[in-house]
Amino acid sequence: EHIDREMLCCATGVYLLLGVLWAYAYALLELAVPGSFVFANAAADEPNFDRFLGFSFTTLTTLGYGSVAPANPRADAVASLEAIVGQLYLAVVVARLVALQLTQRAVG
């Protein structure tokens, strides 16, 4: 296998898709168990998908701005799992790409 633009775009696309899928999981959790999340400045609006999307990507990247926070053990567990998946994904993909690059240099 060769590392090319397509492989990098696919790896990036999967990472972004993970963030969107986790946002849907948070939205479903909030629908199933209302009050699972606490939103800063929530007086203006009810929670919407955009808030969950932002929370998902800050959790996936372990940035953690704090504008949304899990409010019960289930939500906390889901958020923790997303952070673990995000870090493992990056570690595995980067390790694989580096290994492929080193193999390409050794062979070619």
Coordinates of all heavy atoms in Angstrom, one line a residue:
E1 N 0.8 -1.2 0.0 CA 0.0 0.0 0.0 C 0.9 1.2 0.0 O 1.9 1.3 0.6 CB -0.9 0.0 1.2 CG -1.9 -1.1 1.3 CD -2.8 -1.0 2.5 OE1 -3.3 0.1 2.8 OE2 -2.9 -2.0 3.2
H2 N 0.4 2.2 -0.7 CA 1.1 3.5 -0.7 C 0.3 4.6 -0.1 O -0.9 4.6 -0.2 CB 1.4 3.9 -2.2 CG 2.3 3.0 -2.9 ND1 3.6 2.9 -2.6 CD2 2.1 2.1 -3.9 CE1 4.2 2.0 -3.4 NE2 3.3 1.5 -4.2
I3 N 0.9 5.4 0.7 CA 0.2 6.6 1.3 C 0.1 7.6 0.2 O 1.0 8.1 -0.4 CB 1.0 7.1 2.5 CG1 1.2 6.1 3.6 CG2 0.3 8.3 3.0 CD1 2.1 6.5 4.7
D4 N -1.2 8.0 0.0 CA -1.4 9.0 -1.0 C -2.5 9.9 -0.4 O -3.0 9.8 0.7 CB -1.8 8.4 -2.3 CG -3.0 7.5 -2.3 OD1 -3.6 7.4 -1.2 OD2 -3.4 6.9 -3.3
R5 N -2.9 10.9 -1.2 CA -3.9 11.9 -0.8 C -5.2 11.2 -0.5 O -5.9 11.6 0.5 CB -4.1 12.9 -1.9 CG -5.0 14.0 -1.5 CD -5.1 15.1 -2.6 NE -3.7 15.5 -3.1 CZ -3.5 16.1 -4.2 NH1 -4.4 16.3 -5.0 NH2 -2.2 16.4 -4.5
E6 N -5.6 10.2 -1.3 CA -6.8 9.5 -1.0 C -6.9 8.8 0.3 O -7.9 8.9 1.0 CB -7.1 8.5 -2.2 CG -8.4 7.8 -2.1 CD -8.7 6.8 -3.2 OE1 -8.1 7.0 -4.3 OE2 -9.4 5.9 -3.0
M7 N -5.8 8.2 0.7 CA -5.7 7.5 2.0 C -5.8 8.5 3.1 O -6.5 8.3 4.1 CB -4.4 6.7 2.1 CG -4.3 5.9 3.4 SD -2.8 5.0 3.6 CE -3.1 3.7 2.4
L8 N -5.2 9.6 3.0 CA -5.2 10.6 4.0 C -6.6 11.2 4.1 O -7.1 11.5 5.2 CB -4.2 11.7 3.8 CG -2.7 11.3 3.9 CD1 -1.8 12.4 3.5 CD2 -2.4 10.8 5.3
C9 N -7.3 11.4 3.0 CA -8.6 12.0 3.0 C -9.6 11.0 3.6 O -10.5 11.3 4.3 CB -9.1 12.3 1.6 SG -8.3 13.8 0.9
C10 N -9.4 9.7 3.3 CA -10.3 8.7 3.9 C -10.1 8.6 5.4 O -11.1 8.5 6.2 CB -10.0 7.3 3.3 SG -10.6 7.1 1.7
A11 N -8.9 8.7 5.9 CA -8.6 8.6 7.3 C -9.2 9.9 8.0 O -9.8 9.7 9.1 CB -7.1 8.6 7.6
T12 N -9.1 11.0 7.4 CA -9.7 12.2 7.9 C -11.2 12.1 7.9 O -11.9 12.5 8.9 CB -9.3 13.5 7.1 OG1 -7.8 13.5 7.2 CG2 -9.8 14.7 7.7
G13 N -11.8 11.6 6.8 CA -13.2 11.5 6.7 C -13.8 10.5 7.8 O -14.9 10.8 8.3
V14 N -13.1 9.5 8.0 CA -13.6 8.5 9.1 C -13.6 9.2 10.4 O -14.5 9.1 11.2 CB -12.7 7.2 9.1 CG1 -13.0 6.4 10.3 CG2 -13.0 6.4 7.8
Y15 N -12.6 10.0 10.7 CA -12.5 10.7 12.0 C -13.6 11.7 12.1 O -14.3 11.8 13.2 CB -11.1 11.4 12.1 CG -10.8 12.0 13.4 CD1 -10.5 11.2 14.5 CD2 -10.8 13.4 13.6 CE1 -10.2 11.7 15.8 CE2 -10.4 13.9 14.8 CZ -10.2 13.1 15.9 OH -9.9 13.6 17.1
L16 N -13.9 12.4 11.1 CA -15.0 13.4 11.1 C -16.4 12.7 11.2 O -17.2 13.1 11.9 CB -15.0 14.3 9.9 CG -13.8 15.2 9.7 CD1 -13.8 15.9 8.4 CD2 -13.7 16.2 10.9
L17 N -16.5 11.6 10.5 CA -17.7 10.8 10.6 C -17.9 10.3 12.1 O -19.1 10.2 12.6 CB -17.7 9.6 9.6 CG -18.9 8.8 9.5 CD1 -20.1 9.6 9.1 CD2 -18.7 7.7 8.5
L18 N -16.9 9.9 12.7 CA -17.0 9.4 14.1 C -17.6 10.6 15.0 O -18.4 10.3 15.8 CB -15.6 9.1 14.7 CG -15.1 7.7 14.3 CD1 -13.6 7.6 14.8 CD2 -15.9 6.6 14.9
G19 N -17.1 11.8 14.8 CA -17.6 12.9 15.5 C -19.1 13.1 15.3 O -19.9 13.4 16.2
V20 N -19.6 13.0 14.0 CA -21.0 13.2 13.7 C -21.8 12.0 14.3 O -22.9 12.3 14.9 CB -21.2 13.2 12.2 CG1 -22.7 13.2 11.8 CG2 -20.5 14.5 11.6
L21 N -21.3 10.8 14.2 CA -22.1 9.7 14.8 C -22.2 9.8 16.3 O -23.3 9.5 16.9 CB -21.4 8.3 14.4 CG -21.4 8.0 13.0 CD1 -20.6 6.7 12.7 CD2 -22.9 7.8 12.5
W22 N -21.1 10.2 17.0 CA -21.2 10.4 18.4 C -22.2 11.5 18.8 O -23.0 11.5 19.8 CB -19.9 10.7 19.0 CG -19.0 9.5 19.2 CD1 -18.0 9.2 18.4 CD2 -19.1 8.5 20.2 NE1 -17.5 8.0 18.8 CE2 -18.1 7.6 19.9 CE3 -19.9 8.3 21.3 CZ2 -17.9 6.4 20.7 CZ3 -19.7 7.2 22.1 CH2 -18.7 6.3 21.8
A23 N -22.3 12.6 17.9 CA -23.3 13.6 18.2 C -24.7 13.1 18.1 O -25.6 13.4 18.9 CB -23.1 14.7 17.1
Y24 N -25.0 12.2 17.2 CA -26.3 11.5 17.1 C -26.5 10.7 18.4 O -27.6 10.7 18.9 CB -26.4 10.6 15.9 CG -26.8 11.4 14.6 CD1 -25.9 11.6 13.6 CD2 -28.1 11.9 14.5 CE1 -26.2 12.4 12.5 CE2 -28.4 12.7 13.4 CZ -27.5 12.9 12.4 OH -27.9 13.6 11.3
A25 N -25.5 10.0 18.8 CA -25.6 9.2 20.1 C -26.0 10.1 21.3 O -26.9 9.8 22.1 CB -24.3 8.5 20.4
Y26 N -25.4 11.3 21.3 CA -25.7 12.2 22.4 C -27.1 12.7 22.3 O -27.9 12.8 23.3 CB -24.7 13.4 22.4 CG -23.3 13.0 22.8 CD1 -22.3 13.5 22.0 CD2 -23.0 12.2 23.9 CE1 -21.0 13.2 22.3 CE2 -21.7 11.9 24.2 CZ -20.7 12.4 23.4 OH -19.4 12.0 23.7
A27 N -27.5 13.0 21.1 CA -28.9 13.5 20.8 C -29.9 12.5 21.2 O -31.0 12.7 21.8 CB -29.1 14.0 19.4
L28 N -29.7 11.2 20.8 CA -30.6 10.1 21.2 C -30.6 9.9 22.7 O -31.7 9.7 23.3 CB -30.1 8.8 20.5 CG -30.4 8.8 19.0 CD1 -29.7 7.5 18.4 CD2 -31.9 8.8 18.7
L29 N -29.5 10.0 23.4 CA -29.4 9.9 24.8 C -30.3 11.0 25.5 O -31.0 10.7 26.4 CB -28.0 9.9 25.3 CG -27.8 9.8 26.8 CD1 -28.4 8.5 27.4 CD2 -26.3 9.9 27.2
E30 N -30.1 12.2 25.0 CA -30.9 13.3 25.5 C -32.4 13.1 25.3 O -33.2 13.4 26.2 CB -30.4 14.6 24.9 CG -31.1 15.9 25.5 CD -30.9 16.1 26.9 OE1 -29.8 15.7 27.5 OE2 -31.7 16.8 27.6
L31 N -32.8 12.5 24.1 CA -34.2 12.2 23.9 C -34.7 11.1 24.8 O -35.8 11.2 25.3 CB -34.4 11.8 22.4 CG -34.4 12.9 21.4 CD1 -34.4 12.3 20.0 CD2 -35.5 13.9 21.6
A32 N -33.9 10.1 25.0 CA -34.3 9.0 25.9 C -34.3 9.4 27.4 O -35.2 8.9 28.1 CB -33.4 7.8 25.6
V33 N -33.3 10.1 27.8 CA -33.2 10.5 29.2 C -33.0 12.1 29.2 O -31.9 12.5 29.2 CB -32.0 9.8 29.9 CG1 -32.0 10.2 31.3 CG2 -32.1 8.3 29.6
P34 N -34.1 12.8 29.2 CA -34.0 14.3 29.2 C -33.2 14.8 30.4 O -33.3 14.2 31.5 CB -35.4 14.8 29.2 CG -36.2 13.7 28.7 CD -35.5 12.4 29.1
G35 N -32.3 15.8 30.2 CA -31.5 16.3 31.2 C -30.2 15.6 31.4 O -29.5 15.8 32.4
S36 N -29.8 14.8 30.4 CA -28.5 14.0 30.4 C -27.3 15.0 30.3 O -26.2 14.6 30.7 CB -28.5 13.0 29.3 OG -29.4 11.9 29.6
F37 N -27.6 16.2 29.8 CA -26.5 17.1 29.5 C -26.9 18.5 30.1 O -28.1 18.9 30.1 CB -26.2 17.3 28.0 CG -25.7 16.0 27.4 CD1 -26.6 15.1 26.9 CD2 -24.3 15.7 27.4 CE1 -26.1 13.9 26.4 CE2 -23.9 14.5 26.9 CZ -24.8 13.6 26.4
V38 N -25.9 19.2 30.5 CA -26.1 20.6 31.0 C -25.4 21.5 30.0 O -24.3 21.3 29.6 CB -25.4 20.8 32.4 CG1 -25.5 22.2 32.8 CG2 -26.0 19.8 33.4
F39 N -26.2 22.5 29.6 CA -25.7 23.4 28.5 C -25.5 24.8 29.1 O -26.4 25.3 29.8 CB -26.8 23.6 27.4 CG -27.0 22.2 26.7 CD1 -28.0 21.4 27.2 CD2 -26.3 21.9 25.6 CE1 -28.2 20.2 26.6 CE2 -26.5 20.7 25.0 CZ -27.4 19.8 25.4
A40 N -24.3 25.4 28.9 CA -24.1 26.8 29.3 C -25.0 27.7 28.4 O -25.2 27.4 27.2 CB -22.6 27.2 29.0
N41 N -25.5 28.7 29.0 CA -26.5 29.6 28.3 C -27.7 28.9 27.7 O -28.1 29.2 26.6 CB -25.7 30.4 27.2 CG -24.5 31.2 27.8 OD1 -24.6 31.7 28.9 ND2 -23.5 31.2 27.0
A42 N -28.2 27.9 28.4 CA -29.3 27.1 27.9 C -30.6 27.9 27.9 O -31.6 27.4 27.4 CB -29.4 25.8 28.7
A43 N -30.7 29.0 28.6 CA -31.9 29.7 28.7 C -32.4 30.2 27.3 O -33.6 30.3 27.1 CB -31.7 30.9 29.6
A44 N -31.5 30.4 26.4 CA -31.9 31.0 25.1 C -32.6 29.9 24.2 O -33.6 30.2 23.6 CB -30.6 31.4 24.3
D45 N -32.1 28.7 24.3 CA -32.7 27.6 23.4 C -32.7 26.3 24.1 O -31.9 26.1 25.1 CB -31.8 27.4 22.1 CG -32.0 28.5 21.1 OD1 -33.1 29.0 21.0 OD2 -31.1 28.8 20.4
E46 N -33.5 25.4 23.6 CA -33.5 24.1 24.1 C -32.3 23.4 23.4 O -31.8 23.9 22.3 CB -34.7 23.3 23.7 CG -35.9 23.7 24.5 CD -37.1 22.8 24.2 OE1 -36.9 21.7 23.6 OE2 -38.2 23.2 24.6
P47 N -31.7 22.4 23.9 CA -30.6 21.7 23.2 C -30.9 21.3 21.8 O -32.0 20.8 21.6 CB -30.3 20.5 24.1 CG -31.0 20.7 25.4 CD -32.1 21.7 25.1
N48 N -30.0 21.6 20.9 CA -30.3 21.2 19.5 C -29.0 20.4 19.0 O -28.0 20.3 19.7 CB -30.6 22.4 18.6 CG -29.5 23.4 18.6 OD1 -28.3 23.1 18.8 ND2 -29.9 24.7 18.4
F49 N -29.2 19.9 17.8 CA -28.1 19.0 17.3 C -26.8 19.7 17.2 O -25.7 19.1 17.4 CB -28.5 18.4 15.9 CG -27.5 17.4 15.4 CD1 -27.4 16.1 16.0 CD2 -26.7 17.7 14.4 CE1 -26.5 15.2 15.6 CE2 -25.8 16.8 13.9 CZ -25.7 15.5 14.5
D50 N -26.8 21.0 16.8 CA -25.5 21.8 16.7 C -24.8 21.8 18.0 O -23.5 21.7 18.0 CB -25.8 23.2 16.3 CG -26.4 23.3 14.9 OD1 -26.3 22.3 14.2 OD2 -27.0 24.4 14.6
R51 N -25.5 21.9 19.1 CA -24.8 21.8 20.4 C -24.1 20.5 20.7 O -23.0 20.4 21.2 CB -25.7 22.1 21.6 CG -26.5 23.4 21.5 CD -25.7 24.7 21.8 NE -25.1 24.8 23.1 CZ -25.5 25.4 24.2 NH1 -26.6 26.1 24.1 NH2 -24.8 25.5 25.3
F52 N -24.8 19.4 20.3 CA -24.3 18.1 20.4 C -23.1 17.8 19.5 O -22.1 17.2 19.8 CB -25.3 17.0 20.2 CG -26.3 16.9 21.3 CD1 -27.7 17.2 21.1 CD2 -26.0 16.7 22.6 CE1 -28.6 17.2 22.1 CE2 -26.9 16.6 23.7 CZ -28.2 16.9 23.4
L53 N -23.2 18.4 18.3 CA -22.1 18.3 17.3 C -20.8 18.9 17.9 O -19.7 18.4 17.8 CB -22.5 18.9 16.0 CG -21.6 18.6 14.8 CD1 -21.5 17.1 14.5 CD2 -22.2 19.3 13.6
G54 N -21.0 20.1 18.4 CA -19.9 20.8 19.0 C -19.3 20.1 20.2 O -18.1 19.9 20.3
F55 N -20.2 19.6 21.0 CA -19.7 18.8 22.2 C -19.0 17.6 21.7 O -18.0 17.2 22.3 CB -20.9 18.4 23.1 CG -20.5 17.6 24.2 CD1 -19.7 18.0 25.3 CD2 -21.0 16.3 24.3 CE1 -19.4 17.2 26.3 CE2 -20.7 15.4 25.4 CZ -19.9 15.9 26.4
S56 N -19.5 16.9 20.7 CA -18.9 15.7 20.2 C -17.5 15.9 19.8 O -16.5 15.2 20.1 CB -19.7 15.1 19.1 OG -19.1 14.0 18.5
F57 N -17.2 17.0 19.0 CA -15.9 17.2 18.5 C -14.9 17.7 19.6 O -13.7 17.4 19.5 CB -15.9 18.1 17.3 CG -16.3 17.4 16.0 CD1 -17.5 17.6 15.4 CD2 -15.4 16.5 15.4 CE1 -17.9 16.9 14.3 CE2 -15.8 15.8 14.3 CZ -17.0 16.0 13.7
T58 N -15.4 18.5 20.5 CA -14.5 18.8 21.6 C -14.2 17.7 22.5 O -13.1 17.6 23.1 CB -15.1 20.0 22.5 OG1 -16.4 19.6 23.0 CG2 -15.3 21.3 21.7
T59 N -15.1 16.7 22.6 CA -14.8 15.5 23.3 C -13.9 14.5 22.6 O -13.0 14.0 23.1 CB -16.2 14.8 23.7 OG1 -17.0 15.7 24.4 CG2 -15.9 13.5 24.6
L60 N -14.2 14.3 21.3 CA -13.4 13.5 20.4 C -12.0 13.9 20.4 O -11.1 13.1 20.4 CB -14.0 13.4 19.0 CG -13.4 12.4 18.0 CD1 -13.7 11.0 18.4 CD2 -13.9 12.7 16.6
T61 N -11.7 15.2 20.4 CA -10.4 15.7 20.3 C -9.8 15.9 21.7 O -8.7 16.3 21.9 CB -10.3 17.0 19.6 OG1 -11.1 18.0 20.3 CG2 -10.8 16.9 18.1
T62 N -10.6 15.7 22.8 CA -10.3 15.9 24.2 C -9.9 17.3 24.5 O -9.1 17.6 25.4 CB -9.1 14.9 24.7 OG1 -7.9 15.2 24.1 CG2 -9.5 13.5 24.5
L63 N -10.5 18.2 23.7 CA -10.3 19.7 23.9 C -11.1 20.1 25.2 O -10.5 20.8 26.0 CB -10.7 20.4 22.7 CG -10.5 21.9 22.7 CD1 -9.0 22.2 22.8 CD2 -11.1 22.5 21.4
G64 N -12.3 19.8 25.2 CA -13.1 20.1 26.4 C -13.3 21.5 26.8 O -12.9 21.9 27.8
Y65 N -14.1 22.3 26.0 CA -14.3 23.7 26.3 C -15.2 23.8 27.6 O -15.1 24.8 28.3 CB -15.1 24.4 25.2 CG -14.2 24.7 24.0 CD1 -14.6 24.5 22.7 CD2 -12.9 25.3 24.2 CE1 -13.7 24.8 21.7 CE2 -12.1 25.7 23.2 CZ -12.5 25.4 21.9 OH -11.7 25.8 20.9
G66 N -16.1 22.9 27.8 CA -17.0 23.0 29.0 C -18.3 23.7 28.8 O -19.0 23.9 29.7
S67 N -18.7 24.0 27.5 CA -20.0 24.7 27.3 C -21.1 23.7 27.4 O -22.3 24.0 27.5 CB -20.0 25.4 25.9 OG -19.7 24.4 24.9
V68 N -20.8 22.4 27.3 CA -21.8 21.3 27.5 C -21.1 20.3 28.4 O -19.9 20.0 28.2 CB -22.1 20.6 26.1 CG1 -23.1 19.5 26.3 CG2 -22.7 21.6 25.1
A69 N -21.8 19.8 29.3 CA -21.3 18.8 30.3 C -22.3 17.7 30.5 O -23.5 17.9 30.6 CB -20.9 19.5 31.6
P70 N -21.8 16.5 30.6 CA -22.6 15.3 31.0 C -23.2 15.6 32.4 O -22.6 16.0 33.3 CB -21.7 14.1 31.0 CG -20.5 14.5 30.3 CD -20.4 16.0 30.4
A71 N -24.5 15.2 32.5 CA -25.2 15.5 33.8 C -25.6 14.2 34.5 O -26.2 14.3 35.6 CB -26.4 16.4 33.6
N72 N -25.3 13.1 33.9 CA -25.6 11.8 34.6 C -24.6 10.8 34.3 O -23.8 11.0 33.4 CB -27.1 11.3 34.3 CG -27.3 10.9 32.9 OD1 -26.4 10.4 32.2 ND2 -28.5 11.1 32.4
P73 N -24.5 9.7 35.0 CA -23.5 8.7 34.8 C -23.5 8.1 33.3 O -22.4 7.8 32.8 CB -23.7 7.6 35.8 CG -24.5 8.3 36.9 CD -25.3 9.4 36.2
R74 N -24.7 7.9 32.8 CA -24.7 7.4 31.4 C -24.1 8.3 30.4 O -23.3 7.9 29.6 CB -26.2 7.1 31.0 CG -26.8 5.9 31.6 CD -28.2 5.7 31.0 NE -28.9 4.8 31.8 CZ -30.1 5.1 32.4 NH1 -30.6 6.2 32.1 NH2 -30.7 4.2 33.2
A75 N -24.4 9.6 30.5 CA -23.8 10.6 29.6 C -22.3 10.7 29.8 O -21.6 10.8 28.8 CB -24.5 11.9 29.8
D76 N -21.9 10.6 31.0 CA -20.5 10.7 31.4 C -19.8 9.5 30.8 O -18.7 9.7 30.2 CB -20.3 10.8 32.9 CG -18.9 11.1 33.3 OD1 -18.3 12.0 32.6 OD2 -18.4 10.5 34.2
A77 N -20.3 8.3 30.8 CA -19.7 7.1 30.3 C -19.6 7.2 28.8 O -18.6 6.9 28.2 CB -20.5 5.9 30.7
V78 N -20.7 7.7 28.1 CA -20.6 7.8 26.7 C -19.6 8.9 26.2 O -18.8 8.6 25.3 CB -22.0 8.2 26.1 CG1 -22.0 8.5 24.6 CG2 -23.0 7.1 26.4
A79 N -19.5 10.0 26.9 CA -18.5 11.0 26.6 C -17.1 10.5 26.9 O -16.2 10.7 26.0 CB -18.7 12.3 27.4
S80 N -16.9 9.7 27.9 CA -15.6 9.1 28.2 C -15.2 8.1 27.1 O -14.0 8.1 26.7 CB -15.5 8.5 29.6 OG -15.7 9.4 30.6
L81 N -16.1 7.3 26.7 CA -15.9 6.4 25.6 C -15.5 7.1 24.3 O -14.6 6.6 23.6 CB -17.1 5.5 25.4 CG -16.9 4.3 24.5 CD1 -15.8 3.4 24.9 CD2 -18.2 3.6 24.3
E82 N -16.2 8.2 24.0 CA -15.8 8.9 22.8 C -14.4 9.4 22.9 O -13.7 9.4 21.9 CB -16.8 10.1 22.6 CG -16.4 10.8 21.3 CD -17.3 12.0 21.0 OE1 -18.0 12.5 21.9 OE2 -17.2 12.5 19.8
A83 N -14.0 10.0 24.0 CA -12.6 10.5 24.2 C -11.6 9.4 24.0 O -10.6 9.6 23.3 CB -12.5 11.2 25.5
I84 N -11.9 8.2 24.5 CA -11.0 7.1 24.4 C -10.9 6.6 22.9 O -9.8 6.4 22.4 CB -11.4 5.9 25.3 CG1 -11.2 6.3 26.7 CG2 -10.7 4.6 24.9 CD1 -11.9 5.4 27.7
V85 N -12.1 6.5 22.3 CA -12.1 6.1 20.8 C -11.3 7.2 20.0 O -10.6 6.8 19.1 CB -13.5 6.0 20.3 CG1 -13.6 5.9 18.8 CG2 -14.2 4.7 21.0
G86 N -11.5 8.4 20.2 CA -10.9 9.5 19.5 C -9.4 9.4 19.6 O -8.6 9.5 18.6
Q87 N -8.9 9.2 20.8 CA -7.4 9.1 21.0 C -6.8 7.8 20.4 O -5.8 7.8 19.8 CB -7.1 9.2 22.5 CG -7.4 10.6 23.0 CD -6.7 11.7 22.2 OE1 -5.5 11.8 22.0 NE2 -7.6 12.6 21.6
L88 N -7.5 6.7 20.6 CA -7.1 5.4 20.0 C -7.1 5.5 18.5 O -6.2 5.0 17.8 CB -7.9 4.3 20.5 CG -7.7 3.8 21.9 CD1 -8.7 2.7 22.3 CD2 -6.3 3.3 22.1
Y89 N -8.1 6.1 17.9 CA -8.2 6.2 16.4 C -6.9 7.0 15.9 O -6.3 6.5 15.0 CB -9.4 6.9 16.0 CG -9.5 7.0 14.5 CD1 -10.0 6.0 13.7 CD2 -9.1 8.2 13.9 CE1 -10.0 6.1 12.3 CE2 -9.2 8.3 12.5 CZ -9.6 7.3 11.7 OH -9.7 7.4 10.4
L90 N -6.7 8.1 16.5 CA -5.5 8.9 16.1 C -4.2 8.1 16.3 O -3.4 8.1 15.4 CB -5.4 10.2 16.9 CG -6.5 11.2 16.5 CD1 -6.3 12.5 17.4 CD2 -6.4 11.6 15.0
A91 N -4.0 7.5 17.4 CA -2.8 6.7 17.6 C -2.6 5.6 16.6 O -1.5 5.4 16.1 CB -2.8 6.2 19.1
V92 N -3.7 4.8 16.4 CA -3.6 3.7 15.5 C -3.4 4.2 14.0 O -2.5 3.6 13.3 CB -4.8 2.8 15.6 CG1 -4.9 1.8 14.5 CG2 -4.9 2.1 17.0
V93 N -4.1 5.2 13.6 CA -4.0 5.6 12.2 C -2.6 6.2 12.0 O -2.0 6.0 11.0 CB -5.1 6.6 11.9 CG1 -4.8 7.3 10.6 CG2 -6.4 5.9 11.8
V94 N -2.1 7.1 12.9 CA -0.8 7.7 12.7 C 0.3 6.6 12.7 O 1.2 6.6 11.9 CB -0.6 8.8 13.8 CG1 0.9 9.2 13.8 CG2 -1.5 10.0 13.6
A95 N 0.2 5.6 13.6 CA 1.1 4.6 13.7 C 1.1 3.8 12.4 O 2.2 3.4 11.8 CB 0.9 3.6 14.9
R96 N 0.0 3.5 11.9 CA -0.1 2.8 10.6 C 0.4 3.6 9.4 O 1.2 3.0 8.6 CB -1.6 2.4 10.3 CG -1.9 1.7 9.0 CD -1.4 0.3 9.1 NE -1.8 -0.4 7.9 CZ -1.0 -1.2 7.2 NH1 0.1 -1.5 7.7 NH2 -1.5 -1.8 6.1
L97 N 0.1 4.8 9.4 CA 0.7 5.7 8.3 C 2.2 5.8 8.4 O 2.9 5.8 7.4 CB 0.0 7.1 8.3 CG -1.5 7.1 8.0 CD1 -2.0 8.5 8.1 CD2 -1.7 6.6 6.5
V98 N 2.7 5.9 9.6 CA 4.2 6.0 9.7 C 4.8 4.7 9.3 O 5.8 4.7 8.6 CB 4.5 6.4 11.2 CG1 6.0 6.2 11.5 CG2 4.1 7.8 11.5
A99 N 4.2 3.6 9.7 CA 4.7 2.2 9.3 C 4.7 2.1 7.8 O 5.7 1.6 7.2 CB 3.9 1.1 10.0
L100 N 3.6 2.5 7.2 CA 3.6 2.4 5.7 C 4.6 3.3 5.1 O 5.3 2.9 4.1 CB 2.2 2.8 5.2 CG 1.1 1.8 5.4 CD1 -0.3 2.4 5.0 CD2 1.3 0.5 4.6
Q101 N 4.8 4.5 5.6 CA 5.8 5.4 5.0 C 7.2 4.8 5.2 O 8.0 4.9 4.2 CB 5.7 6.8 5.7 CG 6.7 7.8 5.2 CD 6.4 8.2 3.8 OE1 5.2 8.2 3.3 NE2 7.4 8.7 3.1
L102 N 7.5 4.2 6.3 CA 8.9 3.6 6.5 C 9.1 2.4 5.6 O 10.1 2.2 5.1 CB 9.0 3.2 8.0 CG 9.1 4.4 9.0 CD1 9.2 3.9 10.4 CD2 10.3 5.3 8.7
T103 N 8.0 1.7 5.4 CA 8.1 0.5 4.5 C 8.3 1.0 3.1 O 9.1 0.4 2.3 CB 6.8 -0.3 4.6 OG1 6.6 -0.8 5.9 CG2 6.8 -1.6 3.7
Q104 N 7.6 2.0 2.7 CA 7.8 2.6 1.3 C 9.2 3.0 1.1 O 9.8 2.8 0.0 CB 6.8 3.7 1.1 CG 5.4 3.3 0.9 CD 4.5 4.5 0.7 OE1 4.9 5.7 0.5 NE2 3.2 4.3 0.8
R105 N 9.8 3.7 2.1 CA 11.2 4.2 1.9 C 12.1 3.0 1.9 O 13.1 3.1 1.1 CB 11.5 5.1 3.1 CG 10.9 6.4 3.0 CD 11.4 7.3 4.1 NE 10.7 8.6 4.0 CZ 10.9 9.6 4.9 NH1 11.7 9.4 5.9 NH2 10.3 10.7 4.8
A106 N 11.9 2.0 2.6 CA 12.8 0.8 2.7 C 12.7 0.0 1.4 O 13.8 -0.4 0.9 CB 12.5 -0.1 3.8
V107 N 11.5 -0.1 0.8 CA 11.4 -0.8 -0.5 C 11.8 0.0 -1.7 O 12.4 -0.5 -2.6 CB 9.9 -1.3 -0.6 CG1 9.6 -1.9 -1.9 CG2 9.6 -2.3 0.5
G108 N 11.4 1.2 -1.7 CA 11.5 2.0 -2.9 C 12.6 3.0 -2.8 O 13.1 3.6 -3.6

